[in-house]
């Protein structure tokens, strides 16, 4: 799967999770070439994050060696503080969790079978009976480095 195809699926997966669960836990979805998907938490709070990340990297490396890695999709919710150009410097120091005007966002990072990456951010629309992926906030990133890059260093 290409990064663009995976990003299209990310929005669909997110809306399905919102409809069925009401939210999204930090999860990475690993796609196989035969159409299966494995969901693995990457920050469950039950084990140190580094251990979960190392495990996921090893899984992807093993799948790449066997030819079964189709791509990966990382979904996470976050808060964002919007700062207007020329805005007050204090706004930069305000944690989004304390900002009464914070914006809830969904971040999707996808990695294709060849290691090509794409990242998008959407506003979370909570106006209806269940949350939905809303307007795109940003899809342009000059340089994108992640902890998942290690999975593509050695095949």
């Amino acid at each position: 799967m290409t990064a663009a195809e995976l990003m299209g699926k990310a929005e669909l997966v997110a809306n399905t999770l919102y409809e069925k669960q009401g939210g999204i836990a930090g999860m990475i979805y690993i796609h196989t070439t035969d159409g299966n998907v494995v969901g693995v938490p990457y920050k469950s709070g039950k084990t140190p994050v580094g251990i979960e990340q190392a495990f996921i990297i090893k899984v992807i490396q093993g799948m790449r060696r066997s030819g079964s890695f189709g791509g990966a999709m990382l979904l996470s919710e976050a808060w964002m503080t919007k700062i207007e150009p020329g805005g007050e410097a204090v706004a930069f120091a305000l944690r989004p969790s304390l900002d009464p005007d914070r914006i809830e966002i969904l971040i999707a990072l996808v990695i294709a079978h060849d290691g090509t990456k794409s990242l998008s951010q959407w506003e979370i629309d909570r106006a209806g009976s269940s949350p939905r992926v809303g307007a795109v906030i940003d899809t342009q990133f000059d340089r994108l480095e992640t902890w998942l890059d290690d999975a593509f260093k050695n095949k």
Side-chain angles (χ1 to χ4, degrees):
M1 248 182 286
T2 67
E5 290 169 330
L6 281 165
M7 191 57 74
K9 287 183 182 275
E11 188 172 355
L12 177 64
V13 168
N15 279 326
T16 300
L17 291 171
Y18 282 133
E19 184 180 312
K20 302 216 180 273
Q21 299 175 180
I24 295 175
M27 187 80 70
I28 185 162
Y29 299 90
I30 302 171
H31 297 254
T32 65
T33 53
D34 62 359
N36 292 311
V37 179
V38 178
V40 182
Y42 66 88
K43 56 178 192 175
S44 67
K46 296 177 183 169
T47 58
V49 171
I51 292 172
E52 291 175 346
Q53 291 175 350
F55 171 74
I56 291 167
I57 288 167
K58 293 295 182 192
V59 167
I60 292 172
Q61 286 175 332
M63 290 175 72
R64 290 185 70 229
R65 275 193 299 277
S66 72
S68 63
F69 179 74
M73 173 191 309
L74 185 147
L75 299 173
S76 186
E77 291 183 346
W79 287 324
M80 181 175 79
T81 295
K82 187 172 184 177
I83 301 170
E84 298 297 331
E88 293 184 36
V90 71
F92 287 98
L94 183 64
R95 288 192 346 232
S97 61
L98 300 176
D99 182 356
D101 298 321
R102 67 181 171 256
I103 299 169
E104 291 181 282
I105 63 170
L106 171 69
I107 301 169
L109 168 68
V110 298
I111 303 177
H113 64 92
D114 63 357
T116 304
K117 294 176 279 190
S118 181
L119 186 120
S120 288
Q121 298 176 77
W122 295 277
E123 193 165 340
I124 299 171
D125 178 1
R126 296 198 184 269
S129 59
S130 66
R132 304 281 303 157
V133 172
V136 172
I137 295 173
D138 198 354
T139 59
Q140 303 299 315
F141 295 89
D142 295 333
R143 192 169 157 191
L144 187 57
E145 295 179 11
T146 75
W147 57 269
L148 287 165
D149 292 345
D150 288 345
F152 297 87
K153 289 183 179 170
N154 299 314
K155 189 174 178 182

